[in-house]
Amino acid sequence: ETGVTQSPTHLIKTRGQQVTLRCSSQSGHNTVSWYQQALGQGPQFIFQYYREEENGRGNFPPRFSGLQFPNYSSELNVNALELDDSALYLCASSFKGANTGELFFGEGSRLTVL
Amino acid sequence: GQNIDQPTEMTATEGAIVQINCTYQTSGFNGLFWYQQHAGEAPTFLSYNVLDGLEEKGRFSSFLSRSKGYSYLLLKELQMKDSASYLCALPGGAGSYQLTFGKGTKLSVIP
């Protein structure tokens, strides 16, 4: 069973640039969520995708956008990067309909905005 | 809305028992999760409680009291590898994968 994989693992951008982060869901999972984790904080929910449509969104501005593809892989795009966007971005997959709603997280993409 | 409170840091000795508390406020309760996150790694699922009481899973147990808005994670026979952050989380709704996480409790296990 393949776990959740994310790329890139680390990247550095400058303020105002755009970034795309990628995630491959765990085999058999049809739902993907993205979280932002600042240093010393718990993860914060950005949004969730199910069947290629956004299915829930946290308190993040529209410059955070995403896609889910037919093979359930996903992208997180952030435009007009700000210094405060520096964080670990976690992708989590799950199977809609599972009893516990357990999330399976990837190792994350650490973004530094200079 | 939802609010979660956890201690920021705890230190315990190898072989001992430690209890990590989590208090929460939520308008609708749909269970409570505990995740473990080692530094620089992905959070991993530990437990999910939806009914009151203690659930034991090996060295780890999780307790829930819905009336008190309170949960704890109990770690027995502490090992050095248990040094990690422990995150308490609430789902946004029934079957929701939108989790609200606490800030996490960083546990340091010392020899």
Side-chain angles (χ1 to χ4, degrees), chain A residues 35 37 45 95-96 100 103 106, chain B residues 33 35 37 42 97-99 102:
Chain A
Y35 288 78
Q37 187 174 24
F45 176 76
F95 181 76
K96 194 173 181 68
T100 65
L103 296 179
Chain B
F33 289 89
Y35 279 81
Q37 186 176 26
Y97 301 101
Q98 176 178 341
L99 298 186

Side-chain angles (χ1 to χ4, degrees), chain B residues 22-38:
Chain B
C22 169
T23 57
Y24 64 86
Q25 295 87 40
T26 181
S27 54
F29 183 77
N30 293 285
L32 184 143
F33 289 89
W34 283 97
Y35 279 81
Q36 179 192 59
Q37 186 176 26
H38 286 100

Side-chain angles (χ1 to χ4, degrees), chain A residues 31 33 35 37 40-43 45 48 94-97 100-103 105-107, chain B residues 33 35 37 40-45 48 87 95-104:
Chain A
T31 302
S33 307
Y35 288 78
Q37 187 174 24
Q41 303 292 315
F45 176 76
Q48 172 189 305
S94 50
F95 181 76
K96 194 173 181 68
T100 65
E102 176 185 345
L103 296 179
F105 285 90
E107 299 282 338
Chain B
F33 289 89
Y35 279 81
Q37 186 176 26
E41 297 185 11
T44 55
F45 171 83
Y48 173 68
L87 300 160
S96 169
Y97 301 101
Q98 176 178 341
L99 298 186
T100 297
F101 283 89
K103 293 185 177 180

